[in-house]
Amino acid sequence: MTNLIVLPILIPLLTAVILIFLAKSVRMQRAVSVLSALLNMIVSFTIVHEVSVNGIQKIDVGSWPAPFGITLVSDMLSALLVVTTTIVGLAVILYSFNSIGEKREKFYYYSIIQFQLVGVIGAFTTGDIFNLFVFFEVMLMASYVLLVLGGEKIQLRESLKYLTVNVISSALFVISVAFLYSVVGTLNMAQISERIASLDEFPGILTVIAVLFLIVFGMKGAIFPLYFWLPGSYYAPPVPVMALFGALLTKVGVYSIIRTFSLFFHQDQGYSYELLLILAVITVIVGVIGSIAYWDIKKIIIYNIITAIGVILYGVAMATTTSYTGSIFYLIHDMLIKAALFLLIGIIIKITGTSDLKQFSGLIKHYPGLAWTYFIAAISLAGIPPFSGFIGKLLVIQGGFQSVEWIGSMIILISSLLVLYSVMKIFIHGFWGEPKEYVRKEAISYQTLLIPVILIIAVSVFYGVATEVIHPYISQAVETIVNPEIYIEAVLKE
Amino acid sequence: MEILMAIIIGVLFATATYLFLSKSILRIIVASGLLSHGAHLLILTMGGLKKGAVPLVNQEGIPVTDPLPQALILTAIVISFGVTALFLVLAYRAYQELETDNMDEMRGTEE
């Protein structure tokens, strides 16, 4: 079926439109969104299978041949990220049932969630640089509304800041596209790559454009020094929204950096890659400083997003097969585990009524299931061997040592310790110790909230234990990234 | 012609940057309007400003101006229009709830 790869965009889009008409009936909304999320997950698994058997899939939308129309391209990297997005989407929707509250649900909450998924999946699948901008805007517009929906004071305040930052970065994106268009005269990513490769020497203006793209996507993906908006903005929304943002939004920026740098700017390994390397290492440092500094459990997990972005981009900056493999392993792991961690601290906040770590302890006595799920999530995040964070970080660091980047690799190794400390701090101070009085008041039923979390954790444990099964897929993804010719060939030639 | 446009766009960007750094929300929204004007003019300029007919199908076969940047601008205009509308309503709502339009008074994240 030739239209297969458009379905992960089309299914949530149609669902979002249908959900607009079902606004007053919360039950129908829930049923429709779960069904659509399940269907989308099945479809995206089919795409992964299809890509692994038949190579890169593409559609020329409207049957205009490749450089002239918009092309949707699904290589292994996009297919895997789409699968991860649908899994996270399903878990967040399930979690929302018992946590978001009917008031928000009646105001198009599920519809906007679906639009958010449209934007994210579209950004992963597109093969056109301006279309990427449009999908970014779809995603951002949905995120503005999700951030402010409910209209509490803190949400209004943080939405204003988040909106301002993203208006600026979107304008910068338009400017970068304009510059790139004036140099290469095309918008199709494969043809841009081909035209840049056909130049005799890499002109300075392309290095400038590379840095501009790094600024634009770095602003979306929160790298140092452009991460400043993230801690505040992610603190404001309700927990399922926070999980959706933490798992997906920044990762789209990271994906775009991987795509543009490996496809467009790979000849210029000197300046822009060096810059990316330095920024990635500083991002890791800033992230761990933030995560060990706070005693607020939301803040701790938020700063861990920044650390993970740094680790992934460090692997990208090495640009070797090993380090790319590590980065992609880590990227998918991080999307899953960040969603799980946010949903878990959401349960903790629901039980204790506070996010201040100093105000509660001894949760393990009444909530053992929650405690051990959190424990697994925490050690997965730090990268303890049987779990999912290990193989990615191992390969990133191995790639670093192979490229003789001792300092950066050592910093990433040490950062793992501090990440472990920051999440174990929550475990030790929150779950161990004497239960404080309000915990005993009533045991809140949290089992329904835990189901989607266990779903994600199960996927992530499988992902860590069955590396042998996953590895062929990842190495196929890396093959396309390291050899852009495969991508160009698949898109431009019949 | 391109040089003149570049200077004008530069002035737009400079004004926008100046206004973005001010305290009042309304000034920031005006800044976002100017910034998107600048970005849209830049697309038009970078597409080339050579003389040509309007990009409508003509029988005479006269060369037309590049239609692609115009389509891009049209897309970017409606997107920034939507975002600006949201921004304005958000600012209005924030003014009602928080009773200030001064960004300096919106510091911090703790309630």
Side-chain angles (χ1 to χ4, degrees):
Chain A
M1 200 171 134
T2 49
N3 289 336
L4 187 66
I5 67 165
V6 84
L7 285 181
I9 304 173
L10 214 56
I11 292 170
L13 184 63
L14 284 176
T15 315
V17 174
I18 292 167
L19 286 174
I20 291 173
F21 296 104
L22 301 175
K24 294 300 159 217
S25 160
V26 173
R27 272 195 177 175
M28 284 291 284
Q29 284 200 61
R30 290 176 177 177
V32 171
S33 9
V34 165
L35 280 179
S36 122
L38 270 174
L39 180 66
N40 210 11
M41 201 163 85
I42 295 164
V43 169
S44 47
F45 270 111
T46 323
I47 292 174
V48 169
H49 177 73
E50 190 72 23
V51 174
S52 77
V53 176
N54 297 329
I56 297 175
Q57 301 289 306
K58 67 136 186 179
I59 302 178
D60 295 325
V61 179
S63 294
W64 293 94
F68 306 114
I70 288 173
T71 315
L72 297 178
V73 187
S74 195
D75 65 345
M76 192 42 100
L77 175 59
S78 341
L80 288 172
L81 291 174
V82 169
V83 164
T84 320
T85 307
T86 53
I87 294 170
V88 171
L90 178 65
V92 166
I93 289 170
L94 286 173
Y95 189 93
S96 303
F97 290 172
N98 292 302
S99 72
I100 199 75
E102 211 160 89
K103 224 179 86 197
R104 284 194 171 96
E105 281 176 308
K106 281 190 175 165
F107 274 91
Y108 307 98
Y109 173 76
Y110 292 112
S111 189
I112 302 160
I113 292 258
Q114 297 287 344
F115 276 123
Q116 173 98 75
L117 294 177
V118 172
V120 172
I121 294 173
F124 286 147
T125 323
T126 186
D128 182 286
I129 194 81
F130 195 77
N131 198 229
L132 180 68
F133 165 73
V134 174
F135 275 121
F136 259 108
E137 288 302 314
V138 172
M139 173 184 97
L140 288 172
M141 200 71 182
S143 74
Y144 302 149
V145 180
L146 281 177
L147 183 55
V148 80
L149 189 68
E152 290 161 23
K153 277 185 181 174
I154 182 169
Q155 286 181 307
L156 287 167
R157 210 168 52 190
E158 294 308 322
S159 300
L160 277 175
K161 298 173 195 169
Y162 180 71
L163 228 159
T164 313
V165 167
N166 280 302
V167 163
I168 295 171
S169 77
S170 297
L172 280 177
F173 196 171
V174 173
I175 293 163
S176 323
V177 170
F179 281 133
L180 191 61
Y181 179 69
S182 78
V183 175
V184 295
T186 178
L187 295 169
N188 182 293
M189 290 194 199
Q191 206 187 12
I192 294 174
S193 174
E194 195 183 45
R195 290 207 174 155
I196 290 176
S198 70
L199 296 170
D200 293 333
E201 60 180 74
F202 199 80
I205 183 73
L206 278 175
T207 307
V208 174
I209 295 171
V211 174
L212 252 175
F213 271 114
L214 184 62
I215 292 172
V216 170
F217 296 136
M219 217 146 171
K220 315 272 186 200
I223 66 174
F224 175 86
L226 303 164
Y227 70 95
F228 56 88
W229 54 272
L230 186 134
S233 304
Y234 281 22
Y235 194 86
V239 167
V241 176
M242 204 191 271
L244 202 64
F245 284 12
L248 302 180
L249 292 195
T250 48
K251 307 305 182 295
V252 181
V254 172
Y255 164 81
S256 309
I257 290 177
I258 296 178
R259 190 57 93 204
T260 48
F261 272 63
S262 70
L263 202 55
F264 302 167
F265 308 120
H266 56 93
Q267 283 102 330
D268 177 38
Q269 298 265 338
Y271 185 79
S272 45
Y273 276 76
E274 189 75 32
L275 183 68
L276 184 62
L277 180 76
I278 295 165
L279 291 183
V281 172
I282 303 178
T283 308
V284 171
I285 296 172
V286 167
V288 290
I289 289 176
S291 62
I292 57 176
Y294 282 96
W295 282 82
D296 184 311
I297 53 179
K298 282 194 210 171
K299 280 269 154 103
I300 292 173
I301 309 296
I302 286 170
Y303 275 96
N304 272 317
I305 300 177
I306 299 175
T307 313
I309 302 273
V311 173
I312 297 165
L313 289 180
Y314 181 74
V316 176
M318 294 298 146
T320 61
T321 311
T322 319
S323 69
Y324 269 129
T325 315
S327 284
I328 292 169
F329 259 115
Y330 202 78
L331 177 60
I332 294 169
H333 142 81
D334 193 61
M335 287 168 81
L336 293 169
I337 215 72
K338 283 289 141 57
L341 276 171
F342 274 116
L343 297 179
L344 277 167
I345 60 163
I347 300 175
I348 298 175
I349 292 169
K350 202 169 180 73
I351 290 170
T352 62
T354 174
S355 62
D356 185 357
L357 197 48
K358 286 179 174 158
Q359 288 185 24
F360 62 90
S361 60
L363 288 179
I364 198 164
K365 197 164 182 183
H366 298 277
Y367 307 97
L370 175 67
W372 293 115
T373 319
Y374 178 82
F375 184 73
I376 294 175
I379 59 177
S380 302
L381 179 72
I384 306 290
F387 296 107
S388 58
F390 173 67
I391 185 76
K393 224 172 227 176
L394 175 75
L395 289 171
V396 167
I397 292 166
Q398 193 188 337
F401 281 129
Q402 279 168 359
S403 311
V404 211
E405 293 288 348
W406 302 100
I407 301 169
S409 306
M410 287 312 288
I411 287 175
I412 290 189
L413 274 174
I414 296 165
S415 83
S416 303
L417 269 183
L418 296 175
V419 165
L420 183 67
Y421 165 72
S422 72
V423 280
M424 276 303 141
K425 188 163 83 178
I426 300 180
F427 190 72
I428 291 169
H429 290 270
F431 288 99
W432 286 354
E434 281 300 304
K436 288 189 180 166
E437 66 268 23
Y438 60 83
V439 179
R440 294 195 205 107
K441 254 192 275 172
E442 51 184 310
I444 298 165
S445 90
Y446 65 99
Q447 278 83 355
T448 43
L449 288 177
L450 204 56
I451 293 166
V453 185
I454 289 174
L455 171 87
I456 303 186
I457 297 282
V459 174
S460 122
V461 168
F462 172 79
Y463 184 76
V465 174
T467 312
E468 284 288 329
V469 184
I470 315 271
H471 190 265
Y473 296 98
I474 306 269
S475 61
Q476 196 189 345
V478 172
E479 208 190 324
T480 324
I481 293 174
V482 181
N483 307 308
E485 299 81 30
I486 303 175
Y487 186 94
I488 299 170
E489 184 80 18
V491 175
L492 293 182
K493 317 280 177 337
E494 275 307 316
Chain B
M1 192 61 190
E2 274 91 346
I3 292 170
L4 185 63
M5 288 297 278
I7 291 167
I8 291 170
I9 294 161
V11 171
L12 277 172
F13 282 166
T15 322
T17 313
Y18 176 75
L19 286 174
F20 264 122
L21 296 173
S22 57
K23 282 181 184 172
S24 153
I25 295 177
L26 275 180
R27 280 167 178 265
I28 289 173
I29 298 174
V30 171
S32 82
L34 289 176
L35 188 68
S36 57
H37 281 334
H40 300 155
L41 280 176
L42 189 75
I43 303 181
L44 197 68
T45 313
M46 296 309 263
L49 292 173
K50 290 168 208 75
K51 275 190 182 155
V54 285
L56 294 169
V57 177
N58 52 38
Q59 258 76 48
E60 295 84 31
I62 307 162
V64 294
T65 50
D66 190 352
L68 191 61
Q70 303 187 12
L72 302 188
I73 293 171
L74 196 58
T75 314
I77 285 174
V78 289
I79 289 172
S80 71
F81 185 67
V83 174
T84 309
L86 179 75
F87 206 165
L88 275 168
V89 175
L90 188 67
Y92 180 57
R93 189 63 203 278
Y95 178 69
Q96 284 181 327
E97 289 278 321
L98 306 171
E99 289 163 354
T100 176
D101 73 335
N102 188 340
M103 289 303 269
D104 265 3
E105 291 170 16
M106 296 191 195
R107 281 202 185 140
T109 50
E110 281 76 32
E111 272 296 87

